[in-house]
Amino acid sequence: MINLIIDTAGEKIFLKIISKDIDYNTKYDNNRENFDELVNIIFNFLKKNKINLSTIDNIFINRGPGKFTSIRSAISIIKAIKISKNVNIYGYCSSQIIDNNYDILLKLLKEGRLTKNYIQPKYPN
């Protein structure tokens, strides 16, 4: 099972691929130029790590709270991927990631604590 994690809520854009045999990640500054190019950043990350989009089983997206525009961009991109590739998508909150341990998402998924295919952004008040 191949899992893609996308976190655009903080100061960095964080991408991670987790599977039984692999663990790749990268970070980019979360600025206007990068979230305008987010779809290219994601596809280049997959290409660099020789991961075909059609082999991804789950995509996890940070729904906030965090940067409004980059969260909206990331959610739009993964919803388009879901429609075109029929991949499962799961939203999580920034507070669920402790000490940058994104592997916790697989545990939360296994425990049924993440909602499948329903992403509601969470913005700061």
Side-chain angles (χ1 to χ4, degrees), residues 75-121:
I75 289 172
S76 297
I77 291 165
I78 67 153
K79 284 185 175 182
I81 292 171
K82 186 211 176 330
I83 290 168
S84 67
K85 297 295 183 182
N86 198 29
V87 63
N88 298 316
I89 59 174
Y90 297 92
Y92 66 93
C93 295
S94 298
S95 61
Q96 291 174 296
I97 304 300
I98 300 167
D99 295 329
N100 292 318
N101 180 13
Y102 287 85
D103 295 352
I104 191 80
L105 295 174
L106 300 180
K107 180 181 176 205
L108 295 173
L109 176 64
K110 193 173 192 178
E111 293 172 352
R113 295 175 49 193
L114 298 175
T115 304
K116 181 178 174 181
N117 299 331
Y118 177 72
I119 310 295
Q120 183 175 4

Side-chain angles (χ1 to χ4, degrees), residues 34-84:
N34 284 341
F35 67 72
D36 282 348
E37 290 292 319
L38 186 57
V39 74
N40 291 329
I41 288 172
I42 293 169
F43 285 114
N44 288 338
F45 174 67
L46 295 174
K47 183 178 179 180
K48 176 184 172 193
N49 292 296
K50 298 180 177 111
I51 301 293
N52 189 318
L53 188 59
S54 61
T55 64
I56 295 175
D57 299 291
N58 303 307
I59 300 177
F60 299 88
I61 182 77
N62 189 338
R63 59 187 188 92
K67 293 187 172 195
F68 175 85
T69 306
S70 46
I71 291 172
R72 293 297 299 167
S73 296
I75 289 172
S76 297
I77 291 165
I78 67 153
K79 284 185 175 182
I81 292 171
K82 186 211 176 330
I83 290 168
S84 67

Side-chain angles (χ1 to χ4, degrees), residues 2-30:
I2 298 176
N3 303 284
L4 172 62
I5 299 168
I6 302 172
D7 187 345
T8 61
E11 294 302 313
K12 298 283 185 182
I13 295 170
F14 179 77
L15 303 174
K16 183 170 184 157
I17 296 169
I18 302 174
S19 121
K20 189 170 96 176
D21 302 327
I22 58 173
D23 186 336
Y24 305 119
N25 64 69
T26 191
K27 290 181 183 181
Y28 294 85
D29 289 334
N30 194 351

